[in-house]
């Protein structure tokens, strides 16, 4: 087994690296952006006094 070498890791070691596909890094970014979206919706409702759909004029 002396002829075998350890291949380089395919996934980047940086947990904040932007990668495409179903990788742990992309799932981290997906979660972060979802948290920003939920916070934005809550702030719009808090400051406008309307629901998000009413604020956008959908309902």
């Amino acid at each position: 087994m002396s002829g075998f070498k350890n291949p380089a890791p395919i996934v980047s070691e940086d947990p904040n690296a932007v990668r495409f596909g179903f990788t742990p890094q992309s799932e981290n970014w997906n979660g972060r952006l979802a948290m920003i979206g939920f916070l934005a919706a809550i702030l719009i409702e808090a400051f406008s006094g309307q629901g998000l759909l009413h604020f956008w004029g959908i309902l």
Side-chain angles (χ1 to χ4, degrees):
M1 294 209 132
S2 62
F4 292 106
K5 296 180 181 177
N6 288 336
I10 296 172
V11 178
S12 174
E13 297 296 327
D14 183 16
N16 294 321
V18 177
R19 295 181 53 92
F20 296 102
F22 294 104
T23 63
Q25 291 85 1
S26 63
E27 293 300 320
N28 283 340
W29 279 105
N30 185 24
R32 290 172 184 160
L33 294 174
M35 287 185 271
I36 291 171
F38 282 123
L39 180 63
I42 290 170
L43 290 175
I44 287 173
E45 290 187 14
F47 287 115
S48 71
Q50 305 175 23
L52 186 65
L53 296 178
H54 285 276
F55 181 77
W56 281 347
I58 296 173
L59 289 178

